[in-house]
Amino acid sequence: MANDEHVALLKQGVTAWNAWRRENHNIRPDLSNADLSGADLSGANLARANLREAILFKANLGRADPVEANLRDHADLSGSDLARANLREAVLFKANLTGADLSGADLSGADLSLAPLVSADLTGAVLTGCRIYGVSAWGLKLERAKQHNLVVTPKDEPDVTVDNIEVAQFVYLLLHNEKIRKVIDTVGKKGVLLLGRFTEGRIEILERLREELRNRGYLPIIFNFDKPETKNFTETVRLLAGLSHFVIADVTNPKSAPLELQATVPEVMVPFKPIIQESEGGKPFAMLEDLWIQHRDWVFEPLYYSSLDALVGALDEKIIKPAKARFAELLARKAEKMKGEHV
């Protein structure tokens, strides 16, 4: 159990805690099992601390305002024992987790943006829903870790999510590095891009499609347009589509992505399958038919579905099977050589 004196010192505030740490730098603080839910620990020196099974639900171990943050003000958790700690929704922005033991820890929904995680032990940890924009993730131990819905983009951009922290870094690099993108071999693609405006009322559709695709061995990549439209995200959609085996675009909401599809479809030869939910009174946006007429080699006619169960039931035969066949046709066409004619 935790050392009561150490817990009491920490609860006095970060300033008093850090002063005590400087005077007692040889002591390893014991905060195991301590309930620190909601505590503001930003800037606390917790290096080498024993936080095994501590409860840090919604605790702030980073910095609320990244613009004003100074590196020395971020929590130092390097080498700390956080095994089985409850870190759900904790703010770990820029927190130093180098070499930390996070085995079995619950990091669901935590903000790990810009956090050094080099050589951290995440064996059996739960990372579902973490924001991992800018993390340093070299030499991680990830056996049995649950890595679903990792957000690779910063908070002021639409969420792009993948299911593996190493893949997440790769996807982000691909989005921002043209040289890396050019060496991608389309034969090995397993990504499926899901486009749409998945608001609270429609999030169930996104979650179910994502799970069904995972179960079939695909890597779902999500681009949710339910974000403030502060800039044009067409280039991001174009790059993600180019990395994908096929694209499923939910256009039930007429605001779901017409601009991005108009700009992406003519330039990216991958199968696009529009889906529309009938119960929402959905109709295709006006220019969808134009895209189908002009690019029907890779744009399918929309699939209208009456319910989520009906959509899942048709996933294999109406979406995946024809998309795979079309992808193979497009791949063969791209490999063709121009021969010309002789007279």
Side-chain angles (χ1 to χ4, degrees):
M1 297 295 291
N3 183 305
D4 292 339
E5 179 185 350
H6 295 174
V7 175
L9 278 166
L10 184 58
K11 289 185 175 180
Q12 288 179 22
V14 170
T15 301
W17 171 264
N18 285 347
W20 177 77
R21 288 299 311 268
R22 286 193 293 271
E23 294 174 3
N24 300 274
H25 54 84
N26 292 325
I27 295 177
R28 185 179 185 185
D30 184 2
L31 302 168
S32 57
N33 298 99
D35 187 350
L36 299 168
S37 301
D40 183 2
L41 304 175
S42 54
N45 179 4
L46 295 167
R48 297 177 54 252
N50 180 4
L51 285 151
R52 180 176 289 265
E53 299 188 46
I55 301 172
L56 292 150
F57 175 62
K58 288 191 175 181
N60 182 359
L61 294 109
R63 200 67 171 171
D65 185 355
V67 176
E68 298 179 2
N70 185 302
L71 183 61
R72 67 174 179 272
D73 292 329
H74 300 295
D76 185 354
L77 291 155
S78 57
S80 295
D81 185 349
L82 286 153
R84 296 191 296 279
N86 181 350
L87 286 155
R88 293 175 59 231
E89 299 183 40
V91 178
L92 292 156
F93 179 84
K94 280 191 176 179
N96 185 357
L97 291 159
T98 301
D101 182 359
L102 289 155
S103 57
D106 187 352
L107 288 145
S108 303
D111 184 358
L112 291 164
S113 299
L114 305 182
L117 282 164
V118 178
S119 300
D121 186 351
L122 289 160
T123 304
V126 179
L127 298 167
T128 301
C130 281
R131 187 174 297 276
I132 57 169
Y133 168 74
V135 298
S136 300
W138 298 97
L140 296 181
K141 296 179 181 178
L142 290 164
E143 293 81 5
R144 302 187 308 282
K146 295 180 181 178
Q147 304 183 67
H148 291 166
N149 313 341
L150 304 178
V151 185
V152 302
T153 44
K155 288 183 177 180
D156 59 349
E157 294 184 14
D159 290 350
V160 175
T161 64
V162 295
D163 288 349
N164 183 285
I165 194 168
E166 291 152 334
V167 171
Q169 293 182 106
F170 182 57
V171 168
Y172 192 80
L173 282 173
L174 289 169
L175 290 174
H176 294 83
N177 191 313
E178 184 177 355
K179 291 182 179 179
I180 293 178
R181 295 198 301 268
K182 288 180 179 178
V183 302
I184 298 303
D185 184 354
T186 56
V187 176
K189 291 177 183 172
K190 296 297 287 183
V192 176
L193 177 60
L194 291 172
L195 292 177
R197 191 175 298 277
F198 300 102
T199 57
E200 185 174 341
R202 297 185 55 74
I203 198 69
E204 183 183 1
I205 295 166
L206 168 66
E207 297 291 348
R208 185 74 177 277
L209 278 176
R210 175 159 45 195
E211 189 62 32
E212 295 293 336
L213 288 166
R214 283 176 186 151
N215 292 341
R216 289 160 174 78
Y218 289 99
L219 173 68
I221 302 174
I222 314 301
F223 193 96
N224 191 349
F225 287 94
D226 187 34
K227 285 281 185 178
E229 296 181 2
T230 55
K231 65 176 181 178
N232 189 338
F233 297 108
T234 300
E235 178 63 17
T236 298
V237 175
R238 186 183 293 123
L239 293 174
L240 291 173
L243 296 173
S244 303
H245 203 76
F246 57 92
V247 178
I248 301 174
D250 189 323
V251 293
T252 300
N253 185 326
K255 297 179 181 178
S256 287
L259 174 64
E260 285 73 17
L261 287 180
Q262 283 175 257
T264 303
V265 167
E267 295 190 25
V268 183
M269 287 178 61
V270 298
F272 282 79
K273 184 64 177 182
I275 59 173
I276 299 173
Q277 187 171 8
E278 292 176 332
S279 60
E280 298 288 327
K283 295 181 179 179
F285 62 90
M287 282 163 284
L288 181 59
E289 187 167 359
D290 291 337
L291 290 173
W292 173 73
I293 291 172
Q294 295 172 29
H295 308 286
R296 66 174 67 190
D297 284 348
W298 56 90
V299 177
F300 292 95
E301 295 182 74
L303 175 67
Y304 295 89
Y305 60 98
S306 57
S307 66
L308 179 52
D309 287 338
L311 175 61
V312 171
L315 184 60
D316 290 300
E317 289 297 318
K318 299 296 184 181
I319 297 179
I320 294 178
K321 185 176 179 179
K324 287 177 64 178
R326 190 66 55 88
F327 180 83
E329 293 171 7
L330 293 170
L331 198 62
R333 182 182 303 181
K334 292 174 184 178
E336 289 179 354
K337 301 294 183 180
M338 185 173 62
K339 297 177 180 179
E341 293 182 315
H342 297 274
V343 295

